Amino acid sequence: MLNQKQIIIEWKKAGLKENGFMFQDITELYELAVRNADSDEEANKLVILAIRAAAKNGGKTAMAVKNNLTKWLNAGATTAIKVGDYEKQSQQLQQPRSRFGQPLRKESAIEKFTPEQIAEQSKRLAKEDGFDDPEE
C-alpha cells in the first residue's frame, strides 16, 4: 500500500519540484516499484531511497528519482538491502586502481629547475661534447 504521506515528506525534504503533477509522479514511481519489488513495504522503501539518492546527487525533478529507481530495478535490486549492496559495489568499482588491483601511488610534483642548476647542466653537457664553454 502506498505510504504517500511519508513519500511526500521525503519529497519536500529533498527539495524536489512541487507542481500539479507531483502526486501523479509519486504514484507512477510507486507503481513501478511495486511491480518489481518483493513487497509493498519494500516498494515504499525503494521510492524513498530513490528520492534521497536524487537529492544527494543534486536532482530536482521526478525524472532524477525515476532514473535512480530504474537503475536499481534493472540491476535486480528489489529490496532496500540489495540497493545498499548495489551502491556499495558500484562505489568500489569507481575507486581508481592500477595494474594487478593495487592502489595507485601518488606521483611527486614536477620539479622546477633553478637557473643555477640549468647553468651547471649546460657546463657539464658542454664538457661531455668537448667544449670548454657552454656558449660554444
Side-chain angles (χ1 to χ4, degrees):
M1 177 171 166
L2 174 61
N3 187 356
Q4 199 167 14
K5 183 178 178 183
Q6 180 64 33
I7 292 174
I8 291 172
I9 290 170
E10 291 294 331
W11 191 277
K12 290 179 179 180
K13 245 197 277 187
L16 298 173
K17 289 187 179 179
E18 297 179 39
N19 54 28
F21 299 107
M22 180 178 77
F23 296 107
Q24 182 180 350
D25 291 337
I26 290 172
T27 305
E28 288 176 9
L29 291 168
Y30 179 76
E31 288 173 359
L32 176 65
V34 157
R35 277 182 293 207
N36 296 290
D38 294 345
S39 66
D40 291 348
E41 183 180 338
E42 288 297 328
N44 280 321
K45 289 179 185 179
L46 287 175
V47 172
I48 290 171
L49 286 174
I51 291 169
R52 290 178 182 171
K56 180 181 172 188
N57 295 331
K60 297 290 180 190
T61 62
M63 185 57 78
V65 178
K66 185 176 181 181
N67 288 342
N68 286 327
L69 189 59
T70 54
K71 175 179 68 172
W72 295 334
L73 294 173
N74 288 338
T78 56
T79 64
I81 293 172
K82 289 180 183 177
V83 168
D85 293 341
Y86 172 79
E87 288 296 322
K88 183 178 176 183
Q89 184 181 14
S90 67
Q91 288 296 323
Q92 288 175 349
L93 291 175
Q94 291 176 1
Q95 291 177 351
R97 296 234 178 237
S98 64
R99 284 190 344 169
F100 310 117
Q102 298 299 318
L104 293 173
R105 284 186 243 143
K106 298 287 182 188
E107 293 183 6
S108 60
I110 297 174
E111 275 190 47
K112 305 257 183 195
F113 294 105
T114 62
E116 294 84 24
Q117 290 173 323
I118 294 171
E120 184 181 315
Q121 183 181 15
S122 295
K123 286 180 187 177
R124 186 176 47 81
L125 290 173
K127 285 185 181 180
E128 286 178 6
D129 291 338
F131 297 100
D132 291 333
D133 187 19
E135 301 287 327
E136 297 175 7

